[in-house]
Amino acid sequence: MNKKKEEAMRQQQEALEIQRVKLPRGKQSIGVVEMRLGGGRMRVRCYDGHVRVCRIPGALKRRLWVRENDIVLVEPWEYGGEEKGDVIYKYRLSQAQWLRR
């Protein structure tokens, strides 16, 4: 098999696997990425009713790739928490489907 087919098969298996889903705790909120703003920032519509400009913290910057319409876990800032926050987790496809159910 070539590498593309192997990669596609691996991604399908990951999508089917049920994994532990990280749920929001405390002030954390689940949201959907509306738009990438550049500079590591994005506009996220959170399910608590706020639209926040969020960033990916330095520790996750290289490991977490986020696109529009991805479902993410947002930690609001202590100051300016209604408008700003940090993206701390990105849900995979199977996890997002479990959350919707």
XYZ file of all heavy atoms in Angstrom:
841
model
N 0.830 -1.190 0.000
C 0.000 0.000 0.000
C 0.870 1.248 0.000
O 1.945 1.255 0.562
C -0.853 0.040 1.268
C -2.130 -0.686 1.172
S -3.095 -0.228 2.596
C -3.893 -1.754 2.850
N 0.343 2.284 -0.595
C 1.110 3.517 -0.553
C 0.771 4.300 0.713
O -0.168 3.987 1.438
C 0.890 4.354 -1.814
C -0.552 4.774 -1.986
O -1.322 4.758 -1.030
N -0.919 5.146 -3.186
N 1.553 5.306 0.972
C 1.423 6.044 2.231
C 0.100 6.783 2.353
O -0.442 6.909 3.441
C 2.593 7.006 2.381
C 3.894 6.302 2.622
C 5.006 7.275 2.888
C 6.298 6.521 3.132
N 7.385 7.408 3.489
N -0.434 7.271 1.243
C -1.697 8.014 1.304
C -2.843 7.113 1.748
O -3.681 7.510 2.552
C -2.018 8.632 -0.057
C -1.129 9.785 -0.421
C -1.536 10.400 -1.728
C -0.610 11.547 -2.091
N -0.981 12.152 -3.372
N -2.874 5.884 1.219
C -3.933 4.957 1.621
C -3.803 4.567 3.088
O -4.795 4.481 3.806
C -3.900 3.700 0.748
C -4.434 3.917 -0.647
C -4.470 2.618 -1.415
C -4.970 2.843 -2.835
N -4.984 1.579 -3.598
N -2.581 4.338 3.538
C -2.354 3.996 4.936
C -2.790 5.134 5.848
O -3.418 4.911 6.886
C -0.883 3.679 5.168
C -0.438 2.366 4.560
C 1.056 2.132 4.732
O 1.704 2.909 5.471
O 1.552 1.176 4.136
N -2.461 6.364 5.464
C -2.857 7.538 6.250
C -4.371 7.671 6.294
O -4.951 7.956 7.343
C -2.220 8.797 5.663
C -2.535 10.064 6.411
C -1.885 10.116 7.775
O -0.911 9.406 8.032
O -2.390 10.890 8.612
N -5.043 7.459 5.168
C -6.507 7.549 5.117
C -7.146 6.480 6.000
O -8.116 6.755 6.715
C -6.991 7.420 3.681
N -6.604 5.269 5.963
C -7.142 4.195 6.797
C -6.949 4.500 8.283
O -7.840 4.268 9.104
C -6.493 2.870 6.438
C -6.944 2.307 5.099
S -6.085 0.811 4.614
C -6.392 -0.264 5.984
N -5.790 5.058 8.628
C -5.525 5.403 10.024
C -6.477 6.482 10.512
O -7.007 6.413 11.619
C -4.075 5.875 10.177
C -3.673 6.107 11.636
C -2.252 6.607 11.744
N -2.063 7.881 11.089
C -2.416 9.069 11.604
N -2.992 9.119 12.778
N -2.190 10.181 10.943
N -6.752 7.478 9.676
C -7.673 8.550 10.059
C -9.088 8.016 10.230
O -9.816 8.446 11.125
C -7.638 9.663 9.023
C -6.383 10.486 9.079
C -6.351 11.570 8.022
O -7.219 11.627 7.162
N -5.337 12.425 8.080
N -9.510 7.087 9.389
C -10.840 6.499 9.529
C -10.953 5.719 10.833
O -11.973 5.791 11.515
C -11.144 5.582 8.352
C -11.436 6.313 7.071
C -11.639 5.362 5.902
O -11.417 4.168 6.014
N -12.043 5.917 4.769
N -9.906 4.975 11.189
C -9.926 4.227 12.431
C -9.973 5.164 13.628
O -10.680 4.911 14.596
C -8.703 3.319 12.522
C -8.785 2.129 11.599
C -7.519 1.293 11.651
O -6.496 1.727 12.187
N -7.588 0.102 11.083
N -9.230 6.270 13.573
C -9.258 7.247 14.668
C -10.641 7.850 14.820
O -11.102 8.097 15.926
C -8.246 8.362 14.418
C -6.830 7.980 14.728
C -5.882 9.140 14.526
O -6.343 10.252 14.212
O -4.675 8.926 14.674
N -11.312 8.100 13.694
C -12.643 8.695 13.741
C -13.642 7.741 14.370
O -14.585 8.164 15.042
C -13.099 9.086 12.344
N -13.458 6.432 14.183
C -14.401 5.457 14.710
C -14.151 5.124 16.173
O -15.060 4.686 16.875
C -14.341 4.170 13.881
C -14.787 4.312 12.426
C -14.574 3.001 11.701
C -16.233 4.748 12.344
N -12.921 5.308 16.637
C -12.594 4.982 18.015
C -13.292 5.947 18.970
O -13.331 7.147 18.745
C -11.088 5.086 18.251
C -10.297 4.010 17.565
C -8.812 4.179 17.797
O -8.420 4.989 18.667
O -8.054 3.516 17.103
N -13.830 5.388 20.027
C -14.446 6.223 21.056
C -13.368 6.554 22.077
O -12.733 5.663 22.621
C -15.628 5.505 21.721
C -16.701 5.228 20.685
C -16.163 6.319 22.881
C -17.846 4.413 21.191
N -13.170 7.840 22.291
C -12.146 8.283 23.218
C -12.807 9.067 24.341
O -13.931 9.527 24.219
C -11.135 9.166 22.500
C -10.400 8.424 21.419
C -9.475 9.349 20.658
O -9.563 10.563 20.775
N -8.583 8.775 19.893
N -12.077 9.224 25.404
C -12.579 10.002 26.530
C -12.742 11.452 26.092
O -11.856 12.035 25.494
C -11.587 9.917 27.676
C -12.088 10.594 28.921
C -11.254 10.220 30.081
N -11.521 8.827 30.380
C -10.934 8.156 31.356
N -10.033 8.745 32.095
N -11.229 6.910 31.581
N -13.889 12.020 26.383
C -14.196 13.381 25.958
C -13.950 14.327 27.121
O -14.453 14.115 28.225
C -15.660 13.490 25.470
C -15.998 14.915 25.106
C -15.889 12.559 24.299
N -13.179 15.375 26.859
C -12.873 16.379 27.875
C -14.060 17.344 27.960
O -14.400 18.000 26.986
C -11.603 17.116 27.478
C -11.046 17.988 28.533
C -9.684 18.493 28.122
C -9.054 19.238 29.266
N -7.686 19.603 28.978
N -14.685 17.421 29.111
C -15.846 18.287 29.311
C -15.414 19.582 29.987
O -14.409 19.619 30.696
C -16.887 17.571 30.165
C -17.499 16.319 29.530
C -18.408 15.621 30.518
C -18.250 16.661 28.261
N -16.189 20.663 29.788
C -15.825 21.939 30.408
C -15.954 21.893 31.927
O -16.875 21.287 32.459
C -16.816 22.941 29.803
C -17.777 22.169 29.011
C -17.325 20.762 28.913
N -15.010 22.552 32.595
C -15.035 22.645 34.055
C -14.970 24.108 34.446
O -14.282 24.894 33.806
C -13.823 21.941 34.656
C -13.844 20.460 34.460
C -12.660 19.849 35.147
N -12.724 18.402 35.024
C -11.835 17.593 35.540
N -10.800 18.075 36.183
N -11.960 16.296 35.404
N -15.642 24.465 35.486
C -15.593 25.832 35.989
C -16.119 26.830 34.970
O -17.237 26.727 34.508
N -15.273 27.790 34.590
C -15.681 28.836 33.652
C -15.442 28.454 32.198
O -15.734 29.237 31.306
C -14.926 30.125 33.969
C -15.288 30.710 35.307
C -14.565 32.007 35.539
C -14.962 32.603 36.873
N -14.314 33.887 37.097
N -14.893 27.276 31.936
C -14.619 26.866 30.566
C -15.920 26.710 29.789
O -16.968 26.459 30.362
C -13.864 25.538 30.550
C -12.499 25.623 31.167
C -11.836 24.263 31.234
O -12.435 23.247 30.954
N -10.570 24.272 31.625
N -15.830 26.871 28.474
C -16.997 26.795 27.612
C -16.627 26.124 26.290
O -15.497 26.233 25.828
C -17.540 28.203 27.351
O -18.638 28.140 26.479
N -17.600 25.462 25.690
C -17.412 24.862 24.375
C -17.820 25.901 23.340
O -18.788 26.636 23.535
C -18.261 23.592 24.236
C -17.776 22.538 25.231
C -18.203 23.047 22.823
C -18.623 21.299 25.288
N -17.087 25.945 22.228
C -17.395 26.920 21.193
C -17.028 26.414 19.812
O -16.363 25.388 19.659
N -17.476 27.157 18.801
C -17.206 26.840 17.402
C -16.387 27.979 16.810
O -16.738 29.152 16.972
C -18.528 26.669 16.612
C -18.253 26.396 15.158
C -19.365 25.568 17.215
N -15.301 27.631 16.116
C -14.441 28.641 15.504
C -15.180 29.242 14.314
O -15.538 28.538 13.379
C -13.099 28.021 15.048
C -12.252 29.060 14.351
C -12.367 27.426 16.234
N -15.437 30.544 14.371
C -16.134 31.240 13.277
C -15.174 31.688 12.197
O -15.443 31.534 11.016
C -16.869 32.466 13.808
C -18.139 32.165 14.528
C -18.880 33.433 14.871
O -18.266 34.527 14.894
O -20.082 33.336 15.120
N -14.049 32.305 12.618
C -13.155 32.896 11.637
C -11.736 32.971 12.208
O -11.558 33.286 13.384
C -13.628 34.310 11.287
C -12.781 34.978 10.254
S -13.315 36.613 9.685
C -14.437 37.198 10.885
N -10.755 32.666 11.362
C -9.354 32.851 11.724
C -9.004 34.318 11.489
O -9.316 34.864 10.438
C -8.463 31.959 10.856
C -8.737 30.489 10.953
C -7.946 29.804 12.009
N -6.614 30.371 12.089
C -5.543 29.689 12.410
N -5.624 28.430 12.636
N -4.377 30.270 12.504
N -8.363 34.939 12.449
C -8.045 36.360 12.345
C -6.581 36.614 12.022
O -6.208 37.722 11.692
C -8.408 37.074 13.653
C -9.874 36.976 14.064
C -10.067 37.600 15.433
C -10.772 37.614 13.039
N -5.754 35.591 12.109
C -4.324 35.763 11.851
C -3.570 36.024 13.139
O -4.137 36.454 14.141
N -2.291 35.741 13.118
C -1.474 35.971 14.303
C -1.807 35.012 15.427
O -1.632 35.350 16.598
N -2.308 33.833 15.107
C -2.654 32.851 16.134
C -3.952 33.156 16.855
O -4.232 32.568 17.895
N -4.760 34.048 16.315
C -6.027 34.406 16.955
C -7.192 33.978 16.076
O -7.067 33.829 14.870
C -6.079 35.900 17.205
C -4.961 36.359 18.103
C -5.173 37.774 18.588
N -4.016 38.281 19.292
C -3.685 37.961 20.528
N -4.392 37.096 21.200
N -2.619 38.489 21.097
N -8.337 33.810 16.711
C -9.548 33.405 15.997
C -10.770 33.893 16.750
O -10.699 34.162 17.945
C -9.580 31.882 15.851
C -9.615 31.144 17.156
S -8.966 29.506 17.041
C -7.236 29.837 16.916
N -11.875 34.019 16.024
C -13.147 34.407 16.630
C -13.926 33.126 16.896
O -14.150 32.319 15.995
C -13.936 35.319 15.709
C -15.213 35.818 16.368
C -15.983 36.791 15.518
N -15.168 37.958 15.224
C -15.123 38.530 14.025
N -15.818 38.058 13.025
N -14.379 39.596 13.828
N -14.343 32.936 18.162
C -15.041 31.722 18.584
C -16.403 32.100 19.153
O -16.490 32.972 20.021
C -14.214 30.954 19.650
C -14.960 29.716 20.107
C -12.854 30.583 19.105
N -17.452 31.449 18.655
C -18.801 31.628 19.203
C -19.005 30.549 20.259
O -19.101 29.363 19.948
C -19.862 31.514 18.126
C -21.285 31.702 18.659
C -22.311 31.801 17.566
N -22.068 32.908 16.665
C -22.411 34.171 16.907
N -23.004 34.477 18.036
N -22.166 35.100 16.026
N -19.045 30.969 21.521
C -19.158 30.036 22.637
C -20.626 29.750 22.938
O -21.505 30.563 22.658
C -18.478 30.609 23.876
S -16.718 30.867 23.657
N -20.867 28.590 23.532
C -22.240 28.192 23.833
C -22.791 28.882 25.073
O -23.955 28.697 25.410
C -22.333 26.675 23.989
C -22.226 25.966 22.662
C -21.192 25.097 22.401
C -23.160 26.195 21.661
C -21.084 24.452 21.180
C -23.066 25.565 20.437
C -22.024 24.693 20.211
O -21.927 24.070 18.996
N -21.978 29.702 25.755
C -22.509 30.497 26.859
C -23.037 31.844 26.372
O -23.402 32.701 27.164
C -21.455 30.686 27.948
C -20.224 31.432 27.480
O -20.160 31.792 26.280
O -19.325 31.640 28.303
N -23.080 32.029 25.033
C -23.693 33.215 24.459
C -22.725 34.332 24.089
O -23.149 35.363 23.592
N -21.442 34.164 24.325
C -20.458 35.201 24.029
C -19.666 34.852 22.778
O -19.451 33.684 22.469
C -19.478 35.372 25.190
C -20.122 35.805 26.459
N -20.574 37.078 26.673
C -20.413 35.122 27.595
C -21.100 37.170 27.871
N -21.025 35.979 28.461
N -19.232 35.885 22.058
C -18.303 35.717 20.946
C -16.970 36.254 21.439
O -16.859 37.427 21.804
C -18.773 36.475 19.684
C -17.744 36.352 18.583
C -20.119 35.945 19.228
N -15.965 35.379 21.476
C -14.665 35.759 22.033
C -13.580 35.714 20.965
O -13.627 34.892 20.064
C -14.275 34.805 23.153
C -15.149 34.907 24.371
C -14.638 33.999 25.476
N -15.354 34.242 26.712
C -16.435 33.569 27.082
N -16.916 32.615 26.323
N -17.036 33.855 28.219
N -12.606 36.600 21.103
C -11.387 36.527 20.300
C -10.418 35.684 21.127
O -10.017 36.075 22.216
C -10.799 37.924 20.015
C -9.470 37.801 19.310
C -11.778 38.737 19.200
N -10.082 34.508 20.611
C -9.274 33.555 21.362
C -7.920 33.370 20.710
O -7.760 33.578 19.509
C -9.989 32.213 21.445
S -11.537 32.295 22.343
N -6.968 32.935 21.499
C -5.637 32.629 21.000
C -5.275 31.231 21.472
O -5.890 30.692 22.387
C -4.622 33.635 21.488
C -4.394 33.531 22.978
C -3.433 34.573 23.493
N -3.357 34.431 24.942
C -2.284 34.011 25.586
N -1.191 33.724 24.936
N -2.294 33.890 26.896
N -4.267 30.665 20.826
C -3.741 29.375 21.248
C -2.512 29.664 22.094
O -1.581 30.319 21.625
C -3.388 28.497 20.032
C -4.634 28.253 19.201
C -2.769 27.189 20.488
C -4.396 27.528 17.907
N -2.478 29.219 23.352
C -1.325 29.512 24.212
C -0.040 28.912 23.659
O -0.056 27.958 22.872
C -1.686 28.864 25.539
C -3.102 28.481 25.451
C -3.503 28.473 24.030
N 1.085 29.456 24.081
C 2.389 29.070 23.559
C 2.695 27.587 23.650
O 3.308 27.008 22.755
N 2.286 26.923 24.731
C 2.591 25.504 24.903
C 1.898 24.642 23.854
O 2.381 23.568 23.505
C 2.178 25.053 26.294
N 0.755 25.088 23.334
C -0.016 24.308 22.361
C 0.128 24.809 20.937
O -0.414 24.210 20.013
C -1.501 24.343 22.732
C -1.886 23.730 24.065
C -3.352 23.993 24.353
C -1.602 22.254 24.073
N 0.836 25.903 20.743
C 0.864 26.576 19.446
C 1.328 25.675 18.306
O 0.761 25.705 17.219
C 1.750 27.814 19.522
C 1.382 28.874 18.536
C 2.112 30.148 18.850
C 1.079 31.193 19.159
N 1.612 32.490 19.382
N 2.315 24.848 18.525
C 2.844 23.988 17.461
C 2.044 22.694 17.317
O 2.060 22.056 16.283
C 4.302 23.623 17.735
C 5.221 24.814 17.800
C 5.602 25.285 16.400
N 6.588 26.339 16.443
C 6.323 27.604 16.208
N 5.094 27.976 15.938
N 7.266 28.512 16.240
N 1.352 22.265 18.372
C 0.661 20.976 18.355
C -0.807 21.063 17.969
O -1.406 20.062 17.596
C 0.746 20.322 19.739
C 2.128 19.861 20.094
C 2.127 19.094 21.377
N 1.992 20.023 22.502
C 1.390 19.738 23.635
N 0.851 18.569 23.820
N 1.332 20.615 24.589
N -1.415 22.223 18.092
C -2.853 22.353 17.903
C -3.139 23.157 16.640
O -2.847 24.351 16.584
C -3.465 23.053 19.124
C -4.970 23.061 19.242
C -5.493 21.641 19.399
C -5.398 23.888 20.432
N -3.688 22.504 15.621
C -4.047 23.163 14.372
C -5.553 23.283 14.322
O -6.264 22.278 14.326
C -3.524 22.366 13.181
C -2.040 22.388 13.117
C -1.178 21.528 13.733
C -1.233 23.342 12.443
N 0.117 21.876 13.472
C 0.113 22.986 12.674
C -1.511 24.451 11.660
C 1.166 23.714 12.147
C -0.450 25.156 11.138
C 0.863 24.794 11.388
N -6.035 24.511 14.260
C -7.472 24.770 14.321
C -7.923 25.440 13.033
O -7.262 26.352 12.540
C -7.807 25.670 15.538
C -9.279 25.940 15.623
C -7.314 25.026 16.818
N -9.047 24.973 12.498
C -9.647 25.561 11.294
C -11.050 26.048 11.621
O -11.572 25.778 12.694
C -9.717 24.507 10.182
C -8.360 24.104 9.673
C -8.498 23.105 8.523
N -7.495 22.083 8.716
C -7.738 20.826 9.080
N -8.960 20.404 9.261
N -6.752 19.985 9.244
N -11.666 26.726 10.657
C -13.034 27.199 10.858
C -13.966 26.010 11.032
O -13.757 24.944 10.467
C -13.475 28.052 9.677
C -12.731 29.365 9.599
C -13.180 30.215 8.434
O -14.138 29.854 7.747
O -12.541 31.255 8.217
N -15.004 26.199 11.828
C -16.040 25.206 12.154
C -15.539 24.073 13.035
O -16.266 23.103 13.224
C -16.700 24.653 10.883
C -17.410 25.728 10.107
O -18.035 26.614 10.693
N -17.305 25.686 8.794
N -14.337 24.160 13.568
C -13.875 23.172 14.545
C -14.521 23.477 15.889
O -14.772 24.641 16.230
C -12.356 23.217 14.699
C -11.623 22.500 13.582
O -12.275 21.773 12.822
O -10.396 22.677 13.479
N -14.765 22.436 16.660
C -15.332 22.607 17.999
C -14.176 22.571 18.990
O -13.353 21.645 18.977
C -16.363 21.520 18.294
C -17.515 21.660 17.300
C -16.861 21.622 19.728
C -18.587 20.634 17.440
N -14.100 23.593 19.830
C -12.971 23.762 20.741
C -13.461 24.034 22.158
O -14.617 24.402 22.379
C -12.044 24.916 20.277
C -11.382 24.591 18.962
C -12.800 26.223 20.179
N -12.555 23.855 23.110
C -12.809 24.173 24.509
C -12.086 25.480 24.820
O -10.884 25.599 24.570
C -12.298 23.041 25.398
C -12.589 23.125 26.880
C -14.089 23.147 27.138
C -11.978 21.947 27.596
N -12.809 26.452 25.342
C -12.284 27.807 25.563
C -12.220 28.101 27.050
O -13.167 27.833 27.790
C -13.187 28.848 24.860
C -12.729 30.256 25.185
C -13.200 28.616 23.373
N -11.087 28.650 27.470
C -10.902 29.127 28.843
C -10.915 30.652 28.810
O -9.984 31.266 28.283
C -9.558 28.636 29.380
C -9.186 29.170 30.736
C -9.775 28.354 31.860
O -9.820 27.132 31.741
O -10.189 28.965 32.848
N -11.972 31.317 29.331
C -12.005 32.791 29.321
C -10.899 33.377 30.198
O -10.491 32.773 31.187
C -13.377 33.122 29.912
C -14.152 31.866 29.861
C -13.177 30.739 29.887
N -10.431 34.550 29.817
C -9.419 35.242 30.609
C -10.052 35.792 31.876
O -11.247 36.091 31.916
C -8.823 36.393 29.817
C -7.917 35.955 28.704
C -7.624 34.675 28.324
C -7.197 36.804 27.829
N -6.767 34.673 27.264
C -6.488 35.975 26.941
C -7.087 38.169 27.699
C -5.670 36.488 25.940
C -6.267 38.670 26.712
C -5.562 37.833 25.847
N -9.226 35.975 32.917
C -9.735 36.559 34.151
C -10.181 37.999 33.923
O -11.226 38.422 34.410
C -8.658 36.530 35.236
C -8.437 35.164 35.821
C -7.458 35.210 36.966
O -7.445 36.193 37.737
O -6.698 34.242 37.089
N -9.362 38.752 33.173
C -9.699 40.136 32.855
C -10.114 40.172 31.392
O -9.383 39.732 30.526
C -8.501 41.059 33.084
C -8.003 40.975 34.498
C -6.818 40.309 34.794
C -8.728 41.530 35.540
C -6.366 40.209 36.085
C -8.275 41.425 36.847
C -7.095 40.776 37.124
O -6.652 40.678 38.408
N -11.268 40.683 31.099
C -11.758 40.719 29.732
C -12.287 39.364 29.294
O -12.251 39.030 28.123
N -12.786 38.567 30.226
C -13.251 37.220 29.944
C -14.472 37.151 29.053
O -14.757 36.122 28.465
N -15.216 38.258 28.958
C -16.389 38.275 28.090
C -15.991 38.409 26.630
O -16.728 37.994 25.752
C -17.324 39.432 28.483
C -17.761 39.415 29.926
C -18.519 38.155 30.313
O -19.360 37.690 29.535
O -18.238 37.627 31.405
N -14.815 38.997 26.360
C -14.391 39.229 24.977
C -13.191 38.396 24.562
O -12.952 38.224 23.375
C -14.018 40.710 24.762
C -15.127 41.687 25.038
C -14.997 42.305 26.416
O -13.880 42.338 26.956
O -16.028 42.752 26.947
N -12.392 37.873 25.511
C -11.140 37.205 25.169
C -11.018 35.873 25.909
O -11.601 35.679 26.961
C -9.946 38.086 25.505
C -9.917 39.363 24.705
C -8.711 40.183 25.039
C -8.726 41.472 24.214
N -7.573 42.306 24.534
N -10.209 34.967 25.316
C -9.994 33.671 25.952
C -8.885 32.895 25.271
O -8.295 33.341 24.285
N -8.606 31.718 25.808
C -7.596 30.818 25.260
C -8.258 29.532 24.800
O -9.146 29.007 25.477
C -6.554 30.457 26.323
C -5.641 31.603 26.680
O -5.426 32.467 25.817
O -5.138 31.628 27.821
N -7.818 29.013 23.655
C -8.270 27.703 23.191
C -7.365 26.677 23.847
O -6.149 26.696 23.655
C -8.185 27.595 21.654
C -8.494 26.185 21.200
C -9.134 28.577 21.002
N -7.945 25.769 24.645
C -7.118 24.809 25.370
C -7.264 23.384 24.852
O -6.466 22.520 25.206
C -7.412 24.861 26.885
C -8.883 24.612 27.164
C -6.976 26.176 27.459
C -9.205 24.505 28.632
N -8.269 23.129 23.994
C -8.468 21.775 23.479
C -9.298 21.832 22.210
O -10.215 22.645 22.101
C -9.179 20.924 24.531
C -9.257 19.459 24.195
C -8.153 18.631 24.315
C -10.449 18.898 23.754
C -8.223 17.292 24.008
C -10.532 17.556 23.441
C -9.415 16.753 23.580
O -9.487 15.429 23.261
N -8.971 20.964 21.266
C -9.758 20.839 20.041
C -10.364 19.438 20.019
O -9.653 18.448 20.180
C -8.870 21.040 18.818
C -9.576 20.783 17.505
C -8.601 20.896 16.360
C -9.053 20.041 15.209
N -8.072 19.998 14.140
N -11.684 19.368 19.834
C -12.368 18.082 19.809
C -12.203 17.424 18.448
O -12.295 18.082 17.415
C -13.856 18.255 20.115
C -14.118 18.649 21.544
C -14.378 19.967 21.887
C -14.097 17.705 22.551
C -14.611 20.323 23.195
C -14.330 18.059 23.870
C -14.589 19.365 24.179
O -14.808 19.711 25.482
N -11.977 16.120 18.436
C -11.925 15.357 17.195
C -13.340 15.121 16.696
O -14.318 15.389 17.393
C -11.231 14.023 17.436
C -9.771 14.199 17.767
C -9.083 12.857 17.713
N -7.664 13.053 17.809
C -6.892 12.427 18.675
N -7.413 11.551 19.510
N -5.606 12.663 18.697
N -13.449 14.595 15.486
C -14.753 14.397 14.853
C -15.657 13.496 15.687
O -16.819 13.828 15.937
C -14.567 13.822 13.454
C -15.832 13.588 12.648
C -16.561 14.902 12.418
C -15.502 12.929 11.330
N -15.149 12.365 16.150
C -15.985 11.437 16.923
C -16.382 12.059 18.267
O -17.512 11.859 18.750
C -15.246 10.112 17.152
O -14.051 10.328 17.850
N -15.492 12.822 18.881
C -15.811 13.476 20.143
C -16.887 14.545 19.946
O -17.786 14.688 20.763
C -14.555 14.107 20.738
C -13.527 13.091 21.160
C -12.226 13.744 21.559
O -11.852 14.791 21.025
N -11.521 13.135 22.493
N -16.791 15.294 18.836
C -17.784 16.328 18.556
C -19.157 15.704 18.318
O -20.173 16.241 18.766
C -17.351 17.138 17.333
N -19.200 14.568 17.630
C -20.470 13.889 17.410
C -21.063 13.408 18.735
O -22.263 13.502 18.949
C -20.283 12.710 16.453
C -19.994 13.151 15.040
C -19.595 11.991 14.135
O -19.344 10.890 14.596
N -19.525 12.258 12.828
N -20.217 12.918 19.641
C -20.699 12.487 20.945
C -21.257 13.673 21.734
O -22.290 13.551 22.391
C -19.544 11.837 21.732
C -19.984 11.282 23.033
C -20.531 10.050 23.270
C -19.931 11.946 24.295
N -20.800 9.913 24.602
C -20.452 11.063 25.260
C -19.487 13.200 24.711
C -20.539 11.394 26.608
C -19.579 13.523 26.045
C -20.105 12.626 26.980
N -20.593 14.826 21.640
C -21.066 16.022 22.338
C -22.428 16.472 21.787
O -23.293 16.904 22.549
C -20.065 17.169 22.181
C -18.811 17.095 23.037
C -17.839 18.167 22.612
C -19.145 17.232 24.494
N -22.614 16.387 20.481
C -23.882 16.805 19.887
C -25.033 15.935 20.344
O -26.145 16.398 20.534
C -23.781 16.774 18.362
C -22.982 17.916 17.801
C -23.023 17.945 16.288
N -22.153 18.971 15.785
C -21.045 18.746 15.098
N -20.696 17.520 14.788
N -20.286 19.735 14.705
N -24.757 14.627 20.509
C -25.806 13.721 20.974
C -26.171 14.025 22.403
O -27.261 14.007 22.826
C -25.334 12.263 20.872
C -25.511 11.720 19.487
C -25.260 10.235 19.437
N -23.982 10.044 18.783
C -22.999 9.296 19.235
N -23.132 8.627 20.343
N -21.881 9.192 18.585
